[in-house]
Amino acid sequence: MSWVFTTPSVDEGPATWTDRLFLRVKITRGITVLESDGTYRAVRFPTQDEIAAATTTYMGGHEYTVDDATKAALIAAGVGVTEANFTAL
């Protein structure tokens, strides 16, 4: 079976503490998942070298079609991926 994989995300606000009004504003940011030799890791801001060194890159904020084996590996990797990150095709 094929699945649509949506990368994990985090809701973050502005870095300023001067204006309390903006503390309520949240932006969803995707987290990149890199795979090298069967090992997965989550990276907030990957460098070009990290992306180039990875066997597979799932850039944060994007969707990817994956198979059952990849889905199971991503969930088992412990990088913040759960069943909620997948939608059946």
Side-chain angles (χ1 to χ4, degrees), residues 6-51:
T6 304
T7 59
S9 62
V10 62
D11 292 336
E12 61 184 20
T16 180
W17 294 96
T18 58
D19 191 341
R20 299 180 68 103
L21 177 64
F22 289 108
L23 294 176
R24 296 182 182 175
V25 175
K26 301 292 181 196
I27 298 171
T28 302
R29 305 252 181 195
I31 298 172
T32 298
V33 178
L34 301 174
E35 183 262 326
S36 294
D37 301 322
T39 302
Y40 293 87
R41 63 187 182 108
V43 182
R44 288 286 307 274
F45 305 105
T47 65
Q48 290 296 317
D49 291 338
E50 289 174 315
I51 293 169

